[in-house]
Amino acid sequence: MSTIPNDAAMPRPAERAEFESALAALRRREKAHTREGDAIAAARRRLPMVEVDPTMELTGADGPVPLLDVFDGRRQLLAYYSMWHAGHAAAQQYEGCTWVTTQVAELCYLHSRDITFAVFCQGPYPESARYREFMGWTMPWYSALPSLDQLLIGRQAGMMHLVCYLRDGDRVFETYWTTRRGVEVMDYSLALMDLTVYGRQEPWEDSPPGWPQRWGGDGSNFRVDGRPAAQWSRLAAGRSDDLTRPLSPQT
């Protein structure tokens, strides 16, 4: 069912030659954008790094886990610090963190580059792991609460973060971190939306007059009928979103 009004404005029709000429001009800008992204990535690889305590404690399925063990033997660790509403029902959990975490489905390519990916939830393990189970996520999952202030030293806990770590034997170093729109690198949905004529359909976008922009930038852009959008398919599949239920074995 379409959510875009039939009378929504559309681009001006043109002949194929004019369309291809305009697209070629845009393509030159796209290529420059790609090259600048490569240059920024090269600068990122040349950042200094800061040593962190490898014994900082997280909570996993079997209890306390030191940061060093989360690497699972690999040299690099990419941790997503997911926000959490402690004690709240599944429908009230963070829509943005549900959105980006849902995109992370296949880890073999990261593993092939010696990278472990894990979610460090900023909430208690039992209820947040039950949410992971409800959503059907399979990535490694930990509660960062025991060491959250140390892990995010100098940063605002309670916000989404992506943090990169490097292991050198038993020593651990932080090499990069980002937050807010920086975590969009986890997503493919918005990148694909950006290719379409109506984009993300959000009010902050620079779009021509009459373009549909019904999706607010206040979190409602990731909710449908009062819930994070990705929850509905799980409910339709018969999964329980009761976060007070016991976890399944090995979760």
Side-chain angles (χ1 to χ4, degrees), residues 114-152:
D114 217 6
I115 302 167
T116 290
F117 177 89
V119 171
F120 288 6
C121 188
Q122 300 180 59
Y125 182 83
E127 63 182 30
S128 68
R130 181 67 187 85
Y131 189 65
R132 168 183 178 260
E133 185 177 73
F134 162 61
M135 294 301 299
W137 297 329
T138 58
M139 73 285 289
W141 190 276
Y142 302 89
S143 168
L145 278 182
S147 304
L148 186 59
D149 290 340
Q150 287 178 277
L151 287 162
L152 292 180

mmCIF file of all heavy atoms in Angstrom, residues 114-152:
data_model
loop_
_atom_site.group_PDB
_atom_site.id
_atom_site.type_symbol
_atom_site.label_atom_id
_atom_site.label_comp_id
_atom_site.label_asym_id
_atom_site.label_seq_id
_atom_site.Cartn_x
_atom_site.Cartn_y
_atom_site.Cartn_z
ATOM 1 N N ASP A 114 39.499 -10.090 10.065
ATOM 2 C CA ASP A 114 39.979 -10.153 11.453
ATOM 3 C C ASP A 114 39.279 -9.136 12.345
ATOM 4 O O ASP A 114 39.875 -8.548 13.254
ATOM 5 C CB ASP A 114 41.501 -9.953 11.507
ATOM 6 C CG ASP A 114 42.162 -10.812 12.578
ATOM 7 O OD1 ASP A 114 41.469 -11.644 13.188
ATOM 8 O OD2 ASP A 114 43.369 -10.631 12.827
ATOM 9 N N ILE A 115 37.969 -8.927 12.092
ATOM 10 C CA ILE A 115 37.170 -7.981 12.867
ATOM 11 C C ILE A 115 36.028 -8.731 13.550
ATOM 12 O O ILE A 115 35.264 -9.439 12.889
ATOM 13 C CB ILE A 115 36.572 -6.882 11.967
ATOM 14 C CG1 ILE A 115 37.670 -6.117 11.221
ATOM 15 C CG2 ILE A 115 35.714 -5.920 12.787
ATOM 16 C CD1 ILE A 115 37.150 -5.245 10.089
ATOM 17 N N THR A 116 35.904 -8.558 14.844
ATOM 18 C CA THR A 116 34.736 -9.037 15.583
ATOM 19 C C THR A 116 33.761 -7.885 15.748
ATOM 20 O O THR A 116 34.166 -6.772 16.105
ATOM 21 C CB THR A 116 35.143 -9.577 16.965
ATOM 22 O OG1 THR A 116 35.859 -10.800 16.802
ATOM 23 C CG2 THR A 116 33.920 -9.840 17.843
ATOM 24 N N PHE A 117 32.494 -8.139 15.474
ATOM 25 C CA PHE A 117 31.446 -7.150 15.722
ATOM 26 C C PHE A 117 30.628 -7.601 16.914
ATOM 27 O O PHE A 117 30.265 -8.778 17.027
ATOM 28 C CB PHE A 117 30.528 -6.996 14.509
ATOM 29 C CG PHE A 117 29.385 -6.036 14.754
ATOM 30 C CD1 PHE A 117 29.534 -4.686 14.498
ATOM 31 C CD2 PHE A 117 28.172 -6.488 15.266
ATOM 32 C CE1 PHE A 117 28.489 -3.794 14.742
ATOM 33 C CE2 PHE A 117 27.130 -5.610 15.513
ATOM 34 C CZ PHE A 117 27.288 -4.261 15.253
ATOM 35 N N ALA A 118 30.320 -6.669 17.815
ATOM 36 C CA ALA A 118 29.493 -6.993 18.982
ATOM 37 C C ALA A 118 28.662 -5.781 19.361
ATOM 38 O O ALA A 118 29.062 -4.636 19.129
ATOM 39 C CB ALA A 118 30.362 -7.427 20.158
ATOM 40 N N VAL A 119 27.510 -6.041 19.947
ATOM 41 C CA VAL A 119 26.681 -4.983 20.519
ATOM 42 C C VAL A 119 26.987 -4.891 22.004
ATOM 43 O O VAL A 119 26.966 -5.896 22.718
ATOM 44 C CB VAL A 119 25.185 -5.261 20.305
ATOM 45 C CG1 VAL A 119 24.333 -4.259 21.095
ATOM 46 C CG2 VAL A 119 24.832 -5.181 18.829
ATOM 47 N N PHE A 120 27.294 -3.669 22.461
ATOM 48 C CA PHE A 120 27.461 -3.371 23.880
ATOM 49 C C PHE A 120 26.225 -2.578 24.307
ATOM 50 O O PHE A 120 26.153 -1.370 24.124
ATOM 51 C CB PHE A 120 28.719 -2.524 24.122
ATOM 52 C CG PHE A 120 30.019 -3.263 23.958
ATOM 53 C CD1 PHE A 120 30.065 -4.561 23.508
ATOM 54 C CD2 PHE A 120 31.211 -2.618 24.253
ATOM 55 C CE1 PHE A 120 31.276 -5.234 23.356
ATOM 56 C CE2 PHE A 120 32.434 -3.283 24.115
ATOM 57 C CZ PHE A 120 32.463 -4.591 23.664
ATOM 58 N N CYS A 121 25.235 -3.276 24.847
ATOM 59 C CA CYS A 121 24.004 -2.591 25.224
ATOM 60 C C CYS A 121 24.217 -1.775 26.492
ATOM 61 O O CYS A 121 24.865 -2.224 27.437
ATOM 62 C CB CYS A 121 22.877 -3.594 25.428
ATOM 63 S SG CYS A 121 21.282 -2.799 25.677
ATOM 64 N N GLN A 122 23.648 -0.576 26.511
ATOM 65 C CA GLN A 122 23.784 0.302 27.666
ATOM 66 C C GLN A 122 22.643 0.064 28.669
ATOM 67 O O GLN A 122 22.153 0.992 29.310
ATOM 68 C CB GLN A 122 23.808 1.758 27.209
ATOM 69 C CG GLN A 122 24.965 2.057 26.252
ATOM 70 C CD GLN A 122 24.990 3.499 25.794
ATOM 71 O OE1 GLN A 122 25.076 4.423 26.598
ATOM 72 N NE2 GLN A 122 24.901 3.702 24.487
ATOM 73 N N GLY A 123 22.230 -1.173 28.776
ATOM 74 C CA GLY A 123 21.183 -1.574 29.699
ATOM 75 C C GLY A 123 21.510 -2.928 30.278
ATOM 76 O O GLY A 123 22.498 -3.559 29.902
ATOM 77 N N PRO A 124 20.704 -3.416 31.211
ATOM 78 C CA PRO A 124 20.975 -4.697 31.866
ATOM 79 C C PRO A 124 20.919 -5.854 30.875
ATOM 80 O O PRO A 124 20.153 -5.825 29.906
ATOM 81 C CB PRO A 124 19.883 -4.797 32.935
ATOM 82 C CG PRO A 124 18.807 -3.882 32.467
ATOM 83 C CD PRO A 124 19.471 -2.774 31.718
ATOM 84 N N TYR A 125 21.702 -6.880 31.143
ATOM 85 C CA TYR A 125 21.785 -7.989 30.196
ATOM 86 C C TYR A 125 20.477 -8.753 30.023
ATOM 87 O O TYR A 125 20.047 -8.969 28.873
ATOM 88 C CB TYR A 125 22.905 -8.961 30.586
ATOM 89 C CG TYR A 125 23.040 -10.080 29.581
ATOM 90 C CD1 TYR A 125 23.772 -9.887 28.413
ATOM 91 C CD2 TYR A 125 22.390 -11.300 29.763
ATOM 92 C CE1 TYR A 125 23.860 -10.888 27.459
ATOM 93 C CE2 TYR A 125 22.470 -12.299 28.818
ATOM 94 C CZ TYR A 125 23.202 -12.096 27.663
ATOM 95 O OH TYR A 125 23.272 -13.084 26.720
ATOM 96 N N PRO A 126 19.801 -9.199 31.077
ATOM 97 C CA PRO A 126 18.663 -10.108 30.873
ATOM 98 C C PRO A 126 17.579 -9.546 29.955
ATOM 99 O O PRO A 126 17.170 -10.196 28.988
ATOM 100 C CB PRO A 126 18.140 -10.354 32.293
ATOM 101 C CG PRO A 126 19.325 -10.128 33.171
ATOM 102 C CD PRO A 126 20.073 -9.008 32.516
ATOM 103 N N GLU A 127 17.091 -8.323 30.227
ATOM 104 C CA GLU A 127 15.994 -7.813 29.410
ATOM 105 C C GLU A 127 16.464 -7.391 28.026
ATOM 106 O O GLU A 127 15.722 -7.539 27.041
ATOM 107 C CB GLU A 127 15.257 -6.676 30.114
ATOM 108 C CG GLU A 127 16.074 -5.436 30.393
ATOM 109 C CD GLU A 127 15.248 -4.388 31.155
ATOM 110 O OE1 GLU A 127 14.353 -4.793 31.924
ATOM 111 O OE2 GLU A 127 15.500 -3.183 30.976
ATOM 112 N N SER A 128 17.687 -6.872 27.913
ATOM 113 C CA SER A 128 18.163 -6.478 26.586
ATOM 114 C C SER A 128 18.462 -7.708 25.729
ATOM 115 O O SER A 128 18.207 -7.710 24.521
ATOM 116 C CB SER A 128 19.401 -5.583 26.698
ATOM 117 O OG SER A 128 20.523 -6.285 27.177
ATOM 118 N N ALA A 129 18.976 -8.778 26.338
ATOM 119 C CA ALA A 129 19.213 -10.011 25.594
ATOM 120 C C ALA A 129 17.893 -10.660 25.185
ATOM 121 O O ALA A 129 17.808 -11.310 24.135
ATOM 122 C CB ALA A 129 20.042 -10.979 26.426
ATOM 123 N N ARG A 130 16.873 -10.485 26.006
ATOM 124 C CA ARG A 130 15.545 -10.987 25.620
ATOM 125 C C ARG A 130 15.030 -10.205 24.412
ATOM 126 O O ARG A 130 14.372 -10.772 23.533
ATOM 127 C CB ARG A 130 14.583 -10.838 26.816
ATOM 128 C CG ARG A 130 13.170 -11.344 26.525
ATOM 129 C CD ARG A 130 13.122 -12.854 26.321
ATOM 130 N NE ARG A 130 11.814 -13.309 25.893
ATOM 131 C CZ ARG A 130 11.389 -13.322 24.630
ATOM 132 N NH1 ARG A 130 12.168 -12.890 23.660
ATOM 133 N NH2 ARG A 130 10.194 -13.773 24.334
ATOM 134 N N TYR A 131 15.328 -8.922 24.323
ATOM 135 C CA TYR A 131 14.947 -8.134 23.146
ATOM 136 C C TYR A 131 15.704 -8.643 21.913
ATOM 137 O O TYR A 131 15.123 -8.770 20.827
ATOM 138 C CB TYR A 131 15.254 -6.661 23.398
ATOM 139 C CG TYR A 131 14.724 -5.721 22.347
ATOM 140 C CD1 TYR A 131 13.356 -5.570 22.141
ATOM 141 C CD2 TYR A 131 15.589 -4.958 21.562
ATOM 142 C CE1 TYR A 131 12.863 -4.699 21.184
ATOM 143 C CE2 TYR A 131 15.107 -4.081 20.611
ATOM 144 C CZ TYR A 131 13.745 -3.959 20.420
ATOM 145 O OH TYR A 131 13.264 -3.088 19.466
ATOM 146 N N ARG A 132 16.986 -8.922 22.079
ATOM 147 C CA ARG A 132 17.780 -9.507 20.988
ATOM 148 C C ARG A 132 17.138 -10.791 20.494
ATOM 149 O O ARG A 132 17.040 -11.030 19.284
ATOM 150 C CB ARG A 132 19.206 -9.769 21.481
ATOM 151 C CG ARG A 132 20.074 -10.630 20.565
ATOM 152 C CD ARG A 132 21.419 -10.840 21.240
ATOM 153 N NE ARG A 132 22.316 -11.686 20.483
ATOM 154 C CZ ARG A 132 22.524 -12.979 20.735
ATOM 155 N NH1 ARG A 132 21.858 -13.567 21.735
ATOM 156 N NH2 ARG A 132 23.368 -13.682 20.015
ATOM 157 N N GLU A 133 16.687 -11.623 21.423
ATOM 158 C CA GLU A 133 16.053 -12.887 21.058
ATOM 159 C C GLU A 133 14.742 -12.646 20.304
ATOM 160 O O GLU A 133 14.468 -13.290 19.283
ATOM 161 C CB GLU A 133 15.796 -13.699 22.326
ATOM 162 C CG GLU A 133 15.234 -15.094 22.086
ATOM 163 C CD GLU A 133 15.084 -15.851 23.388
ATOM 164 O OE1 GLU A 133 14.161 -15.508 24.168
ATOM 165 O OE2 GLU A 133 15.880 -16.774 23.631
ATOM 166 N N PHE A 134 13.933 -11.698 20.799
ATOM 167 C CA PHE A 134 12.686 -11.356 20.125
ATOM 168 C C PHE A 134 12.941 -10.869 18.705
ATOM 169 O O PHE A 134 12.238 -11.247 17.750
ATOM 170 C CB PHE A 134 11.948 -10.289 20.944
ATOM 171 C CG PHE A 134 10.887 -9.538 20.188
ATOM 172 C CD1 PHE A 134 9.795 -10.195 19.641
ATOM 173 C CD2 PHE A 134 10.970 -8.150 20.039
ATOM 174 C CE1 PHE A 134 8.805 -9.493 18.942
ATOM 175 C CE2 PHE A 134 9.983 -7.455 19.351
ATOM 176 C CZ PHE A 134 8.905 -8.123 18.799
ATOM 177 N N MET A 135 13.971 -10.044 18.523
ATOM 178 C CA MET A 135 14.275 -9.504 17.203
ATOM 179 C C MET A 135 14.940 -10.527 16.284
ATOM 180 O O MET A 135 14.996 -10.337 15.071
ATOM 181 C CB MET A 135 15.178 -8.270 17.347
ATOM 182 C CG MET A 135 14.529 -7.074 18.024
ATOM 183 S SD MET A 135 13.045 -6.481 17.166
ATOM 184 C CE MET A 135 13.721 -6.038 15.562
ATOM 185 N N GLY A 136 15.467 -11.607 16.850
ATOM 186 C CA GLY A 136 16.114 -12.616 16.031
ATOM 187 C C GLY A 136 17.537 -12.271 15.641
ATOM 188 O O GLY A 136 18.077 -12.825 14.673
ATOM 189 N N TRP A 137 18.152 -11.368 16.381
ATOM 190 C CA TRP A 137 19.541 -11.000 16.086
ATOM 191 C C TRP A 137 20.484 -12.081 16.606
ATOM 192 O O TRP A 137 20.227 -12.715 17.640
ATOM 193 C CB TRP A 137 19.884 -9.668 16.752
ATOM 194 C CG TRP A 137 19.064 -8.522 16.244
ATOM 195 C CD1 TRP A 137 18.546 -8.368 14.983
ATOM 196 C CD2 TRP A 137 18.663 -7.355 16.984
ATOM 197 N NE1 TRP A 137 17.858 -7.177 14.897
ATOM 198 C CE2 TRP A 137 17.915 -6.537 16.104
ATOM 199 C CE3 TRP A 137 18.887 -6.926 18.290
ATOM 200 C CZ2 TRP A 137 17.380 -5.315 16.494
ATOM 201 C CZ3 TRP A 137 18.340 -5.705 18.692
ATOM 202 C CH2 TRP A 137 17.604 -4.917 17.804
ATOM 203 N N THR A 138 21.584 -12.291 15.898
ATOM 204 C CA THR A 138 22.512 -13.360 16.263
ATOM 205 C C THR A 138 23.917 -12.853 16.574
ATOM 206 O O THR A 138 24.791 -13.649 16.929
ATOM 207 C CB THR A 138 22.599 -14.403 15.142
ATOM 208 O OG1 THR A 138 23.011 -13.766 13.921
ATOM 209 C CG2 THR A 138 21.243 -15.078 14.917
ATOM 210 N N MET A 139 24.156 -11.556 16.444
ATOM 211 C CA MET A 139 25.493 -11.036 16.729
ATOM 212 C C MET A 139 25.806 -11.153 18.221
ATOM 213 O O MET A 139 24.888 -11.202 19.050
ATOM 214 C CB MET A 139 25.636 -9.590 16.273
ATOM 215 C CG MET A 139 24.906 -8.555 17.140
ATOM 216 S SD MET A 139 23.125 -8.506 16.921
ATOM 217 C CE MET A 139 23.038 -7.766 15.281
ATOM 218 N N PRO A 140 27.093 -11.210 18.599
ATOM 219 C CA PRO A 140 27.461 -11.227 20.021
ATOM 220 C C PRO A 140 26.849 -10.040 20.756
ATOM 221 O O PRO A 140 26.826 -8.925 20.231
ATOM 222 C CB PRO A 140 28.981 -11.153 19.994
ATOM 223 C CG PRO A 140 29.370 -11.730 18.672
ATOM 224 C CD PRO A 140 28.282 -11.308 17.722
ATOM 225 N N TRP A 141 26.371 -10.297 21.972
ATOM 226 C CA TRP A 141 25.603 -9.301 22.718
ATOM 227 C C TRP A 141 26.096 -9.247 24.162
ATOM 228 O O TRP A 141 26.224 -10.285 24.807
ATOM 229 C CB TRP A 141 24.126 -9.673 22.696
ATOM 230 C CG TRP A 141 23.195 -8.636 23.216
ATOM 231 C CD1 TRP A 141 22.860 -8.402 24.522
ATOM 232 C CD2 TRP A 141 22.445 -7.689 22.445
ATOM 233 N NE1 TRP A 141 21.961 -7.366 24.617
ATOM 234 C CE2 TRP A 141 21.686 -6.905 23.349
ATOM 235 C CE3 TRP A 141 22.352 -7.429 21.083
ATOM 236 C CZ2 TRP A 141 20.838 -5.891 22.922
ATOM 237 C CZ3 TRP A 141 21.515 -6.417 20.659
ATOM 238 C CH2 TRP A 141 20.767 -5.654 21.575
ATOM 239 N N TYR A 142 26.363 -8.041 24.644
ATOM 240 C CA TYR A 142 26.847 -7.849 26.008
ATOM 241 C C TYR A 142 26.160 -6.637 26.614
ATOM 242 O O TYR A 142 25.710 -5.733 25.907
ATOM 243 C CB TYR A 142 28.364 -7.615 26.029
ATOM 244 C CG TYR A 142 29.164 -8.729 25.412
ATOM 245 C CD1 TYR A 142 29.462 -8.719 24.046
ATOM 246 C CD2 TYR A 142 29.629 -9.784 26.186
ATOM 247 C CE1 TYR A 142 30.192 -9.740 23.468
ATOM 248 C CE2 TYR A 142 30.369 -10.819 25.610
ATOM 249 C CZ TYR A 142 30.638 -10.788 24.253
ATOM 250 O OH TYR A 142 31.356 -11.810 23.674
ATOM 251 N N SER A 143 26.108 -6.614 27.925
ATOM 252 C CA SER A 143 25.738 -5.397 28.638
ATOM 253 C C SER A 143 27.018 -4.662 29.016
ATOM 254 O O SER A 143 27.938 -5.246 29.598
ATOM 255 C CB SER A 143 24.941 -5.718 29.898
ATOM 256 O OG SER A 143 24.826 -4.559 30.714
ATOM 257 N N ALA A 144 27.072 -3.369 28.669
ATOM 258 C CA ALA A 144 28.243 -2.555 28.987
ATOM 259 C C ALA A 144 28.130 -1.882 30.344
ATOM 260 O O ALA A 144 29.053 -1.181 30.766
ATOM 261 C CB ALA A 144 28.446 -1.500 27.902
ATOM 262 N N LEU A 145 27.009 -2.098 31.051
ATOM 263 C CA LEU A 145 26.756 -1.365 32.291
ATOM 264 C C LEU A 145 27.881 -1.448 33.324
ATOM 265 O O LEU A 145 28.201 -0.439 33.961
ATOM 266 C CB LEU A 145 25.435 -1.827 32.920
ATOM 267 C CG LEU A 145 24.153 -1.212 32.362
ATOM 268 C CD1 LEU A 145 22.940 -1.740 33.127
ATOM 269 C CD2 LEU A 145 24.196 0.307 32.429
ATOM 270 N N PRO A 146 28.499 -2.620 33.534
ATOM 271 C CA PRO A 146 29.505 -2.669 34.593
ATOM 272 C C PRO A 146 30.655 -1.679 34.411
ATOM 273 O O PRO A 146 31.269 -1.253 35.387
ATOM 274 C CB PRO A 146 30.003 -4.125 34.531
ATOM 275 C CG PRO A 146 28.855 -4.888 33.965
ATOM 276 C CD PRO A 146 28.245 -3.960 32.964
ATOM 277 N N SER A 147 30.978 -1.320 33.155
ATOM 278 C CA SER A 147 32.131 -0.441 32.893
ATOM 279 C C SER A 147 31.777 0.695 31.947
ATOM 280 O O SER A 147 32.668 1.265 31.309
ATOM 281 C CB SER A 147 33.288 -1.263 32.299
ATOM 282 O OG SER A 147 33.656 -2.341 33.130
ATOM 283 N N LEU A 148 30.495 1.049 31.856
ATOM 284 C CA LEU A 148 30.066 1.987 30.823
ATOM 285 C C LEU A 148 30.786 3.325 30.903
ATOM 286 O O LEU A 148 31.222 3.871 29.883
ATOM 287 C CB LEU A 148 28.552 2.202 30.912
ATOM 288 C CG LEU A 148 27.923 3.051 29.804
ATOM 289 C CD1 LEU A 148 28.177 2.449 28.438
ATOM 290 C CD2 LEU A 148 26.423 3.207 30.038
ATOM 291 N N ASP A 149 30.941 3.878 32.101
ATOM 292 C CA ASP A 149 31.597 5.180 32.228
ATOM 293 C C ASP A 149 33.057 5.126 31.800
ATOM 294 O O ASP A 149 33.592 6.100 31.252
ATOM 295 C CB ASP A 149 31.496 5.686 33.673
ATOM 296 C CG ASP A 149 30.072 6.073 34.051
ATOM 297 O OD1 ASP A 149 29.265 6.316 33.136
ATOM 298 O OD2 ASP A 149 29.766 6.131 35.258
ATOM 299 N N GLN A 150 33.713 3.995 32.057
ATOM 300 C CA GLN A 150 35.109 3.841 31.616
ATOM 301 C C GLN A 150 35.184 3.622 30.111
ATOM 302 O O GLN A 150 36.038 4.187 29.429
ATOM 303 C CB GLN A 150 35.745 2.636 32.323
ATOM 304 C CG GLN A 150 36.075 2.831 33.778
ATOM 305 C CD GLN A 150 36.657 1.557 34.364
ATOM 306 O OE1 GLN A 150 35.924 0.646 34.762
ATOM 307 N NE2 GLN A 150 37.963 1.477 34.389
ATOM 308 N N LEU A 151 34.305 2.797 29.588
ATOM 309 C CA LEU A 151 34.330 2.481 28.160
ATOM 310 C C LEU A 151 34.059 3.711 27.307
ATOM 311 O O LEU A 151 34.641 3.875 26.228
ATOM 312 C CB LEU A 151 33.297 1.400 27.855
ATOM 313 C CG LEU A 151 33.638 -0.013 28.328
ATOM 314 C CD1 LEU A 151 32.388 -0.883 28.376
ATOM 315 C CD2 LEU A 151 34.684 -0.651 27.415
ATOM 316 N N LEU A 152 33.173 4.576 27.781
ATOM 317 C CA LEU A 152 32.809 5.787 27.039
ATOM 318 C C LEU A 152 33.337 7.038 27.741
ATOM 319 O O LEU A 152 32.691 8.081 27.729
ATOM 320 C CB LEU A 152 31.292 5.874 26.873
ATOM 321 C CG LEU A 152 30.646 4.823 25.975
ATOM 322 C CD1 LEU A 152 29.137 5.029 25.890
ATOM 323 C CD2 LEU A 152 31.254 4.828 24.575
#
